């Protein structure tokens, strides 16, 4: 496109392009900053999209593009798919969609590196640092691609959410990783080696599968965050490959943000990243099915009318959502219940655990879709002191994140994990299909406390019944 510009403009075009790249980088940074709050997340996402749009447009001036037909076709097709997915994908499928985005991002970076390697024609013309970044971009991008689609399968359910392992798997994976890095060195030393190039590609794709398969389905919030970081690092490497400053910076920003979020997720579970990746811990959330809890223990069941009366006469009600709320698609009915309670003078708050759901921020996004006010959403650290002065806590589809075993039993798999201190409240009411344990596979003593009541059934049906009861009170 730059060939059609006057010579005087072409002379200063490189400087203009770098300035626009700097502008786009600033827009990216502002967008990421605004993603830190639910109240500004929407505009932050729009700013980040604007930065990407600026980057795409200016790159068309920065590269020697011969034909625009395929580029235009790609933009049209991709935009149509994106618009359709944004409108049609249900909130319960959002984690799977994010996993696919991560996979395509990593795959695209690997293809950029591959394309540049092929475009040069004579790889021996590439400098050593270029070959290193090509190798690393293919390595990280390919791992992200296959790993993300395994995560997608675990979330979707057609791949077992339980850890899939074999003896010596961690050692085998470590050897493959070291071997792939050696192959990157081989490619740098001998750029003409097609064998090294294709071995890097193949082993990296295999590593993505072998890395995610041993991870339990309920650890997917951490995995999705980590793979998001990988996709950013792969993009940054691809930026070095094609000498694009915007891609380098934006990829580094995504990579760093993903690593920070991954660390937050791990701290929220009181587990190291190594334990998540190599510990083969947990499986599917078995709140919908699975082994029943100890039937010798006594639980106190409740009804919609009883819950409605308790909530109406309460001064403060805190709602703790979990993945079961998303599965039941009950967020809108929940908002209706909260609205009716507020009209009767009840203070309503929502307590959000960092790893509730199947992706970082899943519950925040779910409740935002139902137009729950942002100022009613509280993080675990903010809401925990409030439970002692709370009359009723409605626990909807959450399990391990409210399990007091994490505070009382040192031998428990979840011991030390920060939890919502719901047991400090005067009354807790757990909405659940059965007494089945959560992904940690352990019973929850909260269910049997005298101050707790169980409301068995589908969360949406239960909340609709409460809505009807509130209308009649």
């Amino acid at each position: 496109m730059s060939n059609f510009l006057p010579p005087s403009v072409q002379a200063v075009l490189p400087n203009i392009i770098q300035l626009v790249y700097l502008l786009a980088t600033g827009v990216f940074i502002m967008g990421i900053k605004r993603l830190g709050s639910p109240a500004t997340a929407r505009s932050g996402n729009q700013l980040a999209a604007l930065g990407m749009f600026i980057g795409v447009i200016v790159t068309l001036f920065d590269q020697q593009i011969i034909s625009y037909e395929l580029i235009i076709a790609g933009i049209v097709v991709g935009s149509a798919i994106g618009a359709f997915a944004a409108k049609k994908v249900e909130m319960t499928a959002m984690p799977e969609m994010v996993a696919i985005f991560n996979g395509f991002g990593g795959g695209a970076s690997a293809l950029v590196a591959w394309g540049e390697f092929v475009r040069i024609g004579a790889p021996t013309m590439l400098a050593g640092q270029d070959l290193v970044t090509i190798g690393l971009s293919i390595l990280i991008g390919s791992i992200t691609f296959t790993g993300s689609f395994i995560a997608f399968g675990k979330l979707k359910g057609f791949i077992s959410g339980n850890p899939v392992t074999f003896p010596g798997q961690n050692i085998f994976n470590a050897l493959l990783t070291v071997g792939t890095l050696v192959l990157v060195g081989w490619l740098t030393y001998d750029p003409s080696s097609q064998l090294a190039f294709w071995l890097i590609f193949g082993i990296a794709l295999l590593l993505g599968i072998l890395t995610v398969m041993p991870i339990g389905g309920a650890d997917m919030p951490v995995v999705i965050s980590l793979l998001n970081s990988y996709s950013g690092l792969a993009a940054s490497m691809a930026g070095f490959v094609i000498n694009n400053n915007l891609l380098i910076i934006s990829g580094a920003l995504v990579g760093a943000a993903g690593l920070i979020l991954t660390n937050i997720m791990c701290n929220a579970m009181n587990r190291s990243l190594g334990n998540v990746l190599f510990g083969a811990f947990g499986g599917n959330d078995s709140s919908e099915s699975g082994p029943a809890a100890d039937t010798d223990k006594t639980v106190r069941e409740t009804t919609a009318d009883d819950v409605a009366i308790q909530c109406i006469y309460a001064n403060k009600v805190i709602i703790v959502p979990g993945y079961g709320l998303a599965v039941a698609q009950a967020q809108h009915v929940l908002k209706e219940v909260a609205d009716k309670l507020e009209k009767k003078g009840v203070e309503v708050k929502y307590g959000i655990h960092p790893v509730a759901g199947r992706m970082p921020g899943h519950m925040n996004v779910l409740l935002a879709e139902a137009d729950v006010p942002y100022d009613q959403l509280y993080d675990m650290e903010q809401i925990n002191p409030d439970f002692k002065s709370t009359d009723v806590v409605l626990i909807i589809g959450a399990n391990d994140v409210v399990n007091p075993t994490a505070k009382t039993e040192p031998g428990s798999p979840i011991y030390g994990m920060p939890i919502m201190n719901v047991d400090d409240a005067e009354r807790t009411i757990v909405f659940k299909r059965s007494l089945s344990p959560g992904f940690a596979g352990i019973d929850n003593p909260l269910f049997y406390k005298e101050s707790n009541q169980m409301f068995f059934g589908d969360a949406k049906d239960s909340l609709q019944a409460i809505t009807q009861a509130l209308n009649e009170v």
Side-chain angles (χ1 to χ4, degrees), residues 28-37 40:
F28 270 127
I29 293 173
M30 288 189 295
I32 291 177
K33 174 65 176 177
R34 295 184 70 80
L35 289 174
S37 168
T40 59

Side-chain angles (χ1 to χ4, degrees), residues 217-237:
D219 278 339
M220 286 303 111
V222 178
V223 175
I224 288 176
S225 178
L226 183 63
L227 290 171
N228 182 53
S229 177
Y230 284 176
S231 68
L233 294 175
S236 188
M237 290 295 174

Side-chain angles (χ1 to χ4, degrees), residues 171-415:
I171 295 176
F172 182 71
N173 288 353
L175 291 175
L176 282 182
T177 303
V178 172
T180 310
L181 293 174
V182 171
L183 287 170
V184 172
W186 179 12
L187 182 67
T188 305
Y189 175 76
D190 183 12
S192 62
S193 175
Q194 293 291 317
L195 177 61
F197 180 84
W198 290 111
L199 281 175
I200 293 171
F201 231 130
I203 295 176
L205 291 171
L206 178 62
L207 265 174
I209 298 172
L210 294 178
T211 301
V212 179
M213 286 297 287
I215 302 175
D219 278 339
M220 286 303 111
V222 178
V223 175
I224 288 176
S225 178
L226 183 63
L227 290 171
N228 182 53
S229 177
Y230 284 176
S231 68
L233 294 175
S236 188
M237 290 295 174
F240 282 107
V241 170
I242 62 175
N243 195 29
N244 186 294
N245 290 333
L246 179 62
L247 196 55
I248 294 170
I249 296 172
S250 60
L253 287 172
V254 173
L259 285 176
I260 292 171
L261 186 57
T262 300
N263 184 59
I264 292 173
M265 296 289 108
C266 289
N267 289 338
M269 298 187 297
N270 194 38
R271 293 165 60 201
S272 67
L273 180 59
N275 180 260
V276 172
L277 295 178
F278 310 119
F281 174 76
N284 283 323
D285 185 345
S286 50
S287 59
E288 305 302 321
S289 62
D294 189 348
T295 54
D296 292 335
K297 298 178 181 178
T298 301
V299 297
R300 295 156 185 83
E301 292 190 45
T302 189
T303 64
D305 291 335
D306 186 37
V307 174
I309 292 172
Q310 291 186 70
C311 290
I312 284 176
Y313 287 102
N315 292 317
K316 182 193 296 184
V317 172
I318 294 179
I319 299 169
V320 178
Y323 185 61
L325 178 68
V327 171
Q329 300 183 46
Q331 63 271 24
H332 295 284
V333 186
L334 176 61
K335 174 62 163 52
E336 187 177 351
V337 170
D339 287 344
K340 291 183 180 298
L341 291 177
E342 288 179 319
K343 288 180 181 178
K344 296 181 181 294
V346 180
E347 181 185 4
V348 178
K349 295 182 177 181
Y350 297 79
I352 312 297
H353 193 281
V355 294
R358 288 296 177 269
M359 70 176 183
H362 193 185
M363 294 298 102
N364 300 76
V365 175
L366 189 74
L367 295 172
E369 186 196 30
D371 294 324
V372 173
Y374 297 130
D375 58 3
Q376 290 186 358
L377 305 180
Y378 293 84
D379 293 334
M380 176 178 63
E381 293 81 4
Q382 297 173 306
I383 201 71
N384 265 345
D386 281 12
F387 286 116
K388 291 182 179 179
S389 60
T390 301
D391 302 294
V392 179
V393 179
L394 304 179
I395 303 164
I396 306 175
N399 195 328
D400 293 322
V401 297
V402 297
N403 192 333
T405 298
K407 299 184 294 183
T408 59
E409 296 185 17
S412 169
I414 63 171
Y415 180 72

Side-chain angles (χ1 to χ4, degrees), residues 60 65 67-82:
L60 297 180
I65 297 173
S67 173
Y68 288 89
E69 287 82 359
L70 291 178
I71 292 175
I72 294 173
I75 291 174
V76 171
V77 174
S79 298
I81 294 173

